[in-house]
Amino acid sequence: MTVLATAVRLFLAATLSAGALAQAPLPVGNAAPTGYAVPIGGALSFRNAEVWGRLVQLAGGQGARFVVVPAAAGKPEKAGAQIAEALSRAGAQSEVLPVAPNWPGRPANEAVNDPALVEKILAAQGVYFAGGAQERIVDTLAPGGKATPLLDAIWQVYRRGGVVAGSSAGAAIMSSTMFRDAPDTLRVLQGELREGREVAQGLGFVGPALFVDQHFLKRGRIGRILPMMVAKGYKLGLGVEENSAVIVHGDEVEVIGARGALLVDLADARQDKTLGAFNLKGVKLSYLDHGDRYDLKQRTVLPSAEKLADTRIDPSATDYRPYFDNQPFYPDMLGDNTIVHAMTNLIDNKLPEVHGLAFAGEPQATDAKGQLGFSFRLYKGQGSLGWYTSRQGGEDYTVANLYLDVLPVRMQRPLFQAWSE
């Protein structure tokens, strides 16, 4: 019997008793891991060499062993094989584990207790969660909120310095609380935030203080992260864009990939509970672009070297010469990339603030909240800064410390009428 096999059997003996799983709480509150949590915002291109290569590098470089857990996928065999191939092209040794509710002929509740699969995880330097439905991951690895031997093994890899990564659903499970199923962002903003429906327990790899959301800019999810953070007491949130990733290691966050991530800080935000609907003032927003970093302890933005070598934008400086002089209005603040477009325009605009709305354009007649919309006021304040550079012909901004107020409004119906002289 190998040393590793002996360790696996001792490990399982501590978690199994009389042939049944001795359910232990999720290990969220244990000592801080030394590894890397890498939530990926979804829609990760298999040609995104930077993200795939960085995962392998963090796990130890060429030949690093990765296991793929496709529990979230509707077609786990296919999804797992594609991910394993991408990791292999980046230099890893990768293997797909048959752990998924939809895996043909292999019950997931057996797989998560299989000593052979536990041994494969303990021998790995990296674990990758496929995208799909995040509730499948949690329901498989932590049924009833209790950790299985497979999940405990993943935590062992993470604690000793390994990589735990995942795209889309694999990013959602990184927080101790996650969105279970909440595709309608406006409905969440209007108050639809129910335990076991929209809200559920995550696996907590980024720790209890940071909330993570995915597909963030593309799907306008600023409208759902704010109510969740308030409801669950989070002060810091991170919305990761598609085809992009953030590396969370200790107190540092680093952004890699095609786009970036939105950092949401509620440390000084306040609510008026007399308004009868969701509202929040003084939200601090920072947009972290490719190559930027963020210090979670100091709560400071650290732009990339490329940005630091180019143009700094300081609205409080005497030589501030903003590029934009338009007065934009955003009729759908929950639209595709709207929040970051508003931020990058404002930091480089002579205006002190910009405004927008979020509302249902065509609500159902039976919808009691059909007239409930929200005004968004985005404004400059203490510490508002920006950095600008061009990359591959594009215009890239990093934006630190803009402020946001969200207030409920009553929308008029109809919104418009035919024009007549």
Side-chain angles (χ1 to χ4, degrees):
M1 184 180 297
T2 66
V3 173
L4 178 59
T6 301
V8 171
R9 281 153 178 77
L10 290 173
F11 169 76
L12 289 173
T15 55
L16 296 173
S17 177
L21 177 64
Q23 302 284 12
L26 289 180
V28 172
N30 290 345
T34 60
Y36 301 85
V38 188
I40 302 162
L44 177 61
S45 170
F46 292 116
R47 296 186 297 273
N48 192 329
E50 180 187 16
V51 172
W52 294 109
R54 191 66 181 280
L55 290 175
V56 175
Q57 184 230 332
L58 291 173
Q62 292 293 308
R65 296 176 63 88
F66 264 86
V67 292
V68 179
V69 180
K75 296 180 179 179
E77 290 176 289
K78 178 180 178 181
Q82 291 175 324
I83 293 165
E85 182 180 352
L87 287 166
S88 296
R89 285 198 303 269
Q93 299 181 51
S94 55
E95 180 179 2
V96 183
L97 301 188
V99 181
N102 294 338
W103 194 279
R106 185 67 188 269
N109 61 344
E110 293 180 6
V112 294
N113 293 291
D114 186 338
L117 297 184
V118 169
E119 184 170 350
K120 289 178 183 293
I121 288 177
L122 292 176
Q125 289 83 49
V127 179
Y128 190 103
F129 290 100
Q134 51 260 34
E135 63 268 23
R136 292 182 186 139
I137 301 175
V138 175
D139 292 350
T140 297
L141 297 183
K146 306 297 183 181
T148 59
L150 205 72
L151 179 57
D152 282 334
I154 293 170
W155 270 93
Q156 284 202 29
V157 172
Y158 184 38
R159 285 200 182 94
R160 71 177 185 233
V163 175
V164 176
S167 180
S168 188
I173 56 95
M174 294 284 176
S175 305
S176 56
T177 302
M178 70 176 189
F179 278 109
R180 183 178 178 89
D181 186 18
D184 192 328
T185 297
L186 180 62
R187 296 299 295 180
V188 175
L189 196 55
Q190 291 173 330
E192 198 165 273
L193 197 61
R194 299 162 291 183
E195 294 287 342
R197 297 285 295 276
E198 290 78 23
V199 185
Q201 184 180 31
L203 299 184
F205 293 110
V206 297
L210 180 64
F211 182 77
V212 174
D213 203 359
Q214 82 281 37
H215 297 283
F216 195 80
L217 301 176
K218 181 70 175 179
R219 301 186 185 180
R221 286 179 166 173
I222 183 66
R224 77 177 201 174
I225 197 173
L226 295 176
M228 174 70 99
M229 289 176 65
V230 170
K232 293 299 181 180
Y234 285 96
K235 297 303 181 184
L236 285 176
L238 195 60
V240 189
E241 178 54 335
E242 294 182 351
N243 203 22
S244 306
V246 295
I247 301 167
V248 182
H249 184 232
D251 291 326
E252 185 178 81
V253 168
E254 179 187 358
V255 178
I256 61 174
R259 288 291 315 279
L262 192 72
L263 196 290
V264 181
D265 186 343
L266 301 190
D268 298 318
R270 58 200 183 277
Q271 276 192 302
D272 182 350
K273 295 185 179 180
T274 68
L275 293 182
F278 179 80
N279 64 93
L280 203 56
K281 287 186 174 182
V283 178
K284 187 187 291 185
L285 299 179
S286 297
Y287 174 66
L288 311 176
D289 192 37
H290 172 276
D292 295 339
R293 298 171 187 262
Y294 186 84
D295 189 314
L296 294 168
K297 189 174 183 179
Q298 300 296 324
R299 299 195 178 190
T300 54
V301 175
L302 307 170
S304 67
E306 186 179 21
K307 292 272 179 51
L308 290 173
D310 206 322
T311 305
R312 186 174 189 263
I313 305 169
D314 184 353
S316 67
T318 56
D319 61 349
Y320 177 51
R321 298 291 185 271
Y323 178 79
F324 299 110
D325 61 0
N326 62 324
Q327 189 164 0
F329 181 83
Y330 300 93
D332 182 12
M333 286 297 292
L334 308 184
D336 181 350
N337 277 275
T338 302
I339 186 66
V340 75
H341 286 318
M343 291 175 66
T344 55
N345 180 285
L346 178 60
I347 198 64
D348 209 1
N349 196 311
K350 65 180 182 179
L351 296 173
E353 60 186 56
V354 295
H355 297 261
L357 289 169
F359 62 96
E362 297 182 350
Q364 297 293 322
T366 56
D367 187 353
K369 295 184 178 180
Q371 288 185 304
L372 176 58
F374 298 87
S375 70
F376 284 67
R377 173 184 172 236
L378 186 67
Y379 53 100
K380 299 168 188 171
Q382 183 177 5
S384 294
L385 290 170
W387 293 265
Y388 165 86
T389 192
S390 59
R391 179 165 64 99
Q392 296 180 347
E395 297 181 345
D396 289 350
Y397 284 87
T398 296
V399 183
N401 306 325
L402 289 180
Y403 297 84
L404 176 68
D405 295 346
V406 180
L407 295 174
V409 296
R410 185 178 300 276
M411 302 300 298
Q412 298 297 318
R413 303 297 180 187
L415 290 174
F416 60 89
Q417 297 177 348
W419 177 262
S420 62
E421 294 291 346

